[in-house]
Amino acid sequence: MLVFALALTLGATAQVKVKVSETAQGQPGIPAEIYGQFSEHLGRCIYEGIWVGPDSDIPNVEGYRIDVLEALKALKVPVLRWPGGCFADEYHWMDGIGPRENRPKLVNNNWGSTLEDNSFGTHEFLNLCEMLGTQPYISGNVGSGTVEELAKWVEYMTAENGTMAELRAKNGRKEPWKVKYLGVGNESWGCGGDMTPDYYSDVYKRYALYSRNYSGNQLFKVACGASDYDYNWTRVMMKNAASKMDGLSLHYYTCKGWVGSKGAALHFTNEDYYNTLAKCVEVDEVLRNHEAIMDAYDPQRRVALLLDEWGTWFDSEPGFNPGHLYQQNTLRDAMVAALSLNIFNKHTARLKMANIAQVVNVLQAMILTKGPQMLLTPTYHVFRMYSVHQNATYVPAEYDCERLVSEEGRIMDKFSASASRDASGVLHVSLANPVLDKPVTVELSFDSLKPKTVTGEILTAPDVHAYNDFGKEPAVKPAAFTGTKISGNKVKLTLPAASIVVLEVK
Ligand code: AHR
């Protein structure tokens, strides 16, 4: 506690110099998929959140609620993972095709024993992806499904001819869909089958082998990876199966711990705030460690790392089914998103996808709904502001800054930045000041660029507990950022306490 307090009071006037090397050559691209989303049959993510059915009073197009659809379009979702999560390893896709009234009911054993009617299935998901212009990422059932079941699912979705294609056509879809990403199991060390990495690596190879490429569709096969600090899982998977996979996943949640209370999303102390952020930025080290293991087995970096679940995980909001993982979202969550995305941008030599959990009504959601009402969370705004980095080229942005030690003993920077150059040559710099009680003065300098204009947006609020609530004016929303001063090849600005700024530099 003493160390924590000292860290907060030392270095009263925060100033950071950021060297943006816009002429640096050979930098990796930032795959759009780093800004990916995750949708699971969990709580009100699919049902009510995305899908209300064509007969609903909630305005919808063919069953998809219009407000959510429009908000997701504006977010430019590059990839959407489905149907789980833990749900995936108990999902039998054949239950979710054909006339909806004939589909069997399903008890969602993982998530609150909710009874589902399977009205959202393969067609509903893949059509949604087409409407959004997003890539589907199918999570296959390995835990309780067969090799044949997964093989046939792939055939059903992607083959032009054959029995599965005929069945698909009979169900209303003649043309196959394009499906690139196929996850072969989820958390196979836990809810996805409770396997050891040695055992799973053989299982993975069997399921992956029979998941074929049909009609020009090229699968990108993702093996189930580790959770957090389980480096042994990554090591064994790379040793046993690297040559048979295109990607290996990883899950990392900003969570206080898996036993007992995870803390409330809305009510937290300053110590809780820094504990959360310090845990969140530890993902940098965790990624580096997994990447180093992958480098040892795959120095050419052929196998991608996919952080296909990440985000904050707090206690469920009071009054909601605890198995539905519904939590509110404050400026603290926005800060977690900003710090995480700045880190992910720097790892794209190996990290090719990240999927925040989850898109609507679950964990660190973009969107929350309550009956016919919908709101955009602070995290949504960060994703929208940061979407400028999608498919841009990484630009090194180096700085030295003060650090603090959280009450839990983690060390974190008191500042965060990353930069990229888009296809038209425009530079974007995303900056965050996580410190609650002090602004930070930032000086950006460029190799040779003499900026003519700098525009930007800021996301902040007078109180870090601020959140957007139903029926109220949004308390956290972006505003134009105007406080920049250009002088030669330098730009100066001040980031208020607890703020996130994305600049466009021309
Ligand atoms: O996102 C919620 C759950 O967290 C997922 O279903 C599972 O994969 C992870 O444990």
Side-chain angles (χ1 to χ4, degrees):
M1 188 60 191
L2 177 66
V3 185
F4 173 75
L6 275 175
L8 279 184
T9 49
L10 283 176
T13 44
Q15 293 190 346
V16 179
K17 291 187 175 183
V18 183
K19 165 118 194 47
V20 181
S21 303
E22 84 281 3
T23 60
Q25 297 298 302
Q27 298 303 314
I30 299 176
E33 287 85 347
I34 292 292
Y35 293 82
Q37 300 285 337
F38 172 33
S39 59
E40 179 165 7
H41 289 240
L42 195 180
R44 295 176 301 117
C45 180
I46 301 293
Y47 299 106
E48 188 187 314
I50 293 172
W51 177 258
V52 287
D55 301 328
S56 172
D57 290 340
I58 296 174
N60 69 85
V61 45
E62 293 167 32
Y64 307 94
R65 55 186 298 165
I66 291 173
D67 50 2
V68 171
L69 214 50
E70 292 309 315
L72 291 179
K73 278 183 194 160
L75 204 54
K76 300 195 182 113
V77 177
V79 61
L80 186 59
R81 183 170 179 250
W82 175 85
C86 294
F87 178 83
D89 282 286
E90 289 196 49
Y91 181 62
H92 299 283
W93 68 272
M94 283 222 174
D95 294 345
I97 56 170
R100 289 195 195 108
E101 61 279 12
N102 297 344
R103 297 185 192 176
K105 303 263 189 299
L106 154 83
V107 178
N108 192 331
N109 293 318
N110 285 287
W111 305 118
S113 299
T114 307
L115 194 66
E116 301 203 5
D117 64 4
N118 268 312
S119 55
F120 190 93
T122 301
H123 289 246
E124 289 77 15
F125 174 68
L126 293 175
N127 290 345
L128 169 69
C129 290
E130 283 189 344
M131 289 161 96
L132 293 175
T134 192
Q135 298 240 40
Y137 175 6
I138 295 288
S139 203
N141 180 348
V142 167
S144 71
T146 63
V147 174
E148 182 188 11
E149 185 182 3
L150 184 58
K152 284 195 165 146
W153 198 8
V154 171
E155 189 179 342
Y156 185 88
M157 292 185 285
T158 59
E160 242 158 34
N161 313 304
T163 330
M164 287 296 108
E166 283 163 22
L167 181 59
R168 184 187 65 233
K170 195 173 138 226
N171 289 331
R173 172 79 185 203
K174 173 115 184 45
E175 290 300 308
W177 292 278
K178 284 282 177 223
V179 175
K180 179 175 174 184
Y181 297 106
L182 177 72
V184 182
N186 168 75
E187 298 196 347
S188 304
W189 37 263
C191 65
D194 212 0
M195 303 180 223
T196 64
D198 265 309
Y199 180 76
Y200 169 72
S201 54
D202 279 347
V203 170
Y204 165 78
K205 287 188 268 190
R206 269 183 76 214
Y207 281 74
L209 178 64
Y210 298 103
S211 299
R212 306 286 193 186
N213 291 323
Y214 295 97
S215 315
N217 187 71
Q218 188 71 35
L219 291 173
F220 185 100
K221 297 175 191 170
V222 183
C224 163
S227 179
D228 311 315
Y229 314 92
D230 184 357
Y231 302 113
N232 183 52
W233 184 279
T234 298
R235 195 172 295 113
V236 175
M237 286 306 298
M238 290 302 289
K239 177 163 72 71
N240 292 357
S243 66
K244 308 286 181 188
M245 62 174 90
D246 299 301
L248 181 63
S249 70
L250 174 67
H251 290 178
Y252 184 89
Y253 281 100
T254 296
C255 179
K256 201 169 154 187
W258 301 109
V259 181
S261 168
K262 298 177 177 62
L266 291 180
H267 306 285
F268 50 89
T269 62
N270 288 356
E271 284 80 6
D272 295 333
Y273 170 82
Y274 289 111
N275 282 336
T276 300
L277 297 193
K279 167 74 179 161
C280 137
V281 298
E282 198 166 87
V283 73
D284 192 15
E285 185 191 327
V286 170
L287 285 170
R288 261 186 276 120
N289 291 342
H290 286 285
E291 286 160 3
I293 295 165
M294 293 178 79
D295 286 349
Y297 291 94
D298 173 34
Q300 306 301 321
R301 295 185 173 153
R302 189 194 62 77
V303 180
L305 180 61
L306 291 83
L307 184 64
D308 62 14
E309 287 186 29
W310 70 275
T312 55
W313 192 323
F314 300 116
D315 290 341
S316 272
E317 292 305 325
F320 288 82
N321 183 334
H324 288 181
L325 312 187
Y326 174 73
Q327 65 191 42
Q328 250 292 358
N329 197 294
T330 66
L331 186 56
R332 173 175 65 164
D333 295 85
M335 193 59 72
V336 166
L339 301 183
S340 300
L341 293 171
N342 280 346
I343 290 169
F344 301 164
N345 282 348
K346 297 176 192 173
H347 281 267
T348 54
R350 176 74 76 175
L351 183 71
K352 302 296 182 187
M353 190 192 290
N355 308 73
I356 189 166
Q358 300 190 356
V359 66
V360 191
N361 287 335
V362 173
L363 299 178
Q364 193 176 351
M366 307 296 113
I367 294 170
L368 302 178
T369 66
K370 183 180 176 188
Q373 301 179 73
M374 182 211 81
L375 62 80
L376 306 178
T377 66
T379 300
Y380 175 97
H381 294 304
V382 174
F383 269 74
R384 214 267 303 128
M385 288 162 67
Y386 273 60
S387 64
V388 292
H389 290 308
Q390 291 188 20
N391 290 324
T393 303
Y394 177 71
V395 170
E398 314 228 307
Y399 53 87
D400 202 8
C401 67
E402 293 170 7
R403 292 171 169 193
L404 61 81
V405 183
S406 74
E407 194 190 34
E408 289 175 343
R410 292 189 171 92
I411 300 170
M412 66 170 273
D413 286 353
K414 289 183 172 184
F415 176 77
S416 164
S418 78
S420 70
R421 190 180 47 249
D422 71 15
S424 59
V426 175
L427 269 180
H428 291 101
V429 186
S430 43
L431 306 162
N433 175 15
V435 177
L436 286 174
D437 58 352
K438 280 185 190 63
V440 57
T441 304
V442 181
E443 182 187 274
L444 304 175
S445 66
F446 302 92
D447 289 339
S448 55
L449 177 76
K450 294 201 162 81
K452 291 190 180 58
T453 60
V454 181
T455 51
E457 279 185 291
I458 181 167
L459 189 74
T460 189
D463 181 355
V464 75
H465 300 90
Y467 65 100
N468 297 336
D469 202 358
F470 296 101
K472 296 188 181 149
E473 271 299 299
V476 191
K477 62 176 183 196
F481 183 73
T482 48
T484 54
K485 283 203 190 92
I486 304 173
S487 142
N489 73 332
K490 293 192 169 61
V491 173
K492 273 198 173 178
L493 62 143
T494 299
L495 293 185
S499 69
I500 298 151
V501 167
V502 177
L503 298 175
E504 179 167 291
V505 184
K506 286 183 179 164

